[in-house]
Amino acid sequence: MHIEPGLVSEAKIALSYATAAAAATYATKLALADSNLRGPVSLVARASLATVAVFSFFQLLPHAPVGVSEVHLILGSTLFLILGAAPAAMGLMLGLLLQGLLFEPIDLPQYGMNLTTLLVPLFALQALAARIIPAQTAYVDLTYKQALKLSTAYHGGIVAWVAFWAIYGQGFGVANLAAVSSFGAAYMLVILLEPLVDLGVLALAKRAKASAVTTLRLHNPA
C-alpha cells in the first residue's frame, strides 16, 4: 500500500512523523535484541534479504491505485514468519525507502504514514504470535491455522491504518468514506491471497523437512 499524495495535508502530516519515529524506535529495539541473541551478521543478512524482497514486492509485483491508497502484495507476515520480527521490520523500512528514492519520489512525503501502516500491524502480529505460538517453535513446525491467523491479523491492521489516515486527513465526507470503502474492498483480494501464499510457503517448508527426514532415515536405518 502507498497512501495517495495529498490525502493528509502538510498541516496535519506531522502526526505521521511522530508515529513513524515511534515505530522506527521500536524496530531499532527489536534489532538490538535480535543482534544480541543471534549476532549482528545474522541480523544484517536477514534484514538485507527482507529489504530486497520488500523492494521487489513493491516495485515488481502487480499493484494498482484504488481509492485512498494502492493495493499491493506485501507479504509482511511471510517475512515475519521466516526471518523474524526485526529483519522484517528493517526490510519494510528500507525497502519502502529505496523504492521511494529510486522510483517513486512523489511517495516520500507519505513515507511516515506508509511506514507506520506497515510496521505497527507487524508489531501487533509479533504480540499475537507470542500468545499463540510456543517460544522457539521452528517455522516448519507452525500449524496452518496459526499462519492463517497471523497473516489475516496483519492485513486487517493495514486496512485499519489506511482508513485512519484517510479519515484523519479528509474527514467523514461521503466521497472520502466511499474511497476508503473502495480500497478496503479491493484490498480484500490481498487479504484472501496473501494468507494462501503464507500457507503455500509453509507447505513447501513442511514438505522439505519431511523429505530431509526421509532421506536421513534411508541413509541411517535403525
Side-chain angles (χ1 to χ4, degrees), residues 22-41:
T25 299
Y26 187 72
T28 301
K29 179 182 178 181
L30 291 179
L32 291 174
D34 189 290
S35 179
N36 290 333
L37 180 64
R38 301 186 182 183
V41 174

Side-chain angles (χ1 to χ4, degrees), residues 69-94:
S69 188
E70 288 185 353
V71 175
H72 278 276
L73 288 172
I74 301 171
L75 303 177
S77 55
T78 307
L79 294 175
F80 167 80
L81 290 171
I82 295 175
L83 301 175
M90 301 303 292
L92 289 167
M93 292 171 62
L94 296 176

Side-chain angles (χ1 to χ4, degrees), residues 10 14-16 37 53 67 108 110 124 134 142 153 158 164 166 171 177 198 206 222:
E10 292 183 6
L15 176 64
S16 72
L37 180 64
L108 291 177
Q110 289 75 240
L142 293 174
I158 287 176
F164 167 78
L177 293 179
D198 284 337
K206 287 181 179 290

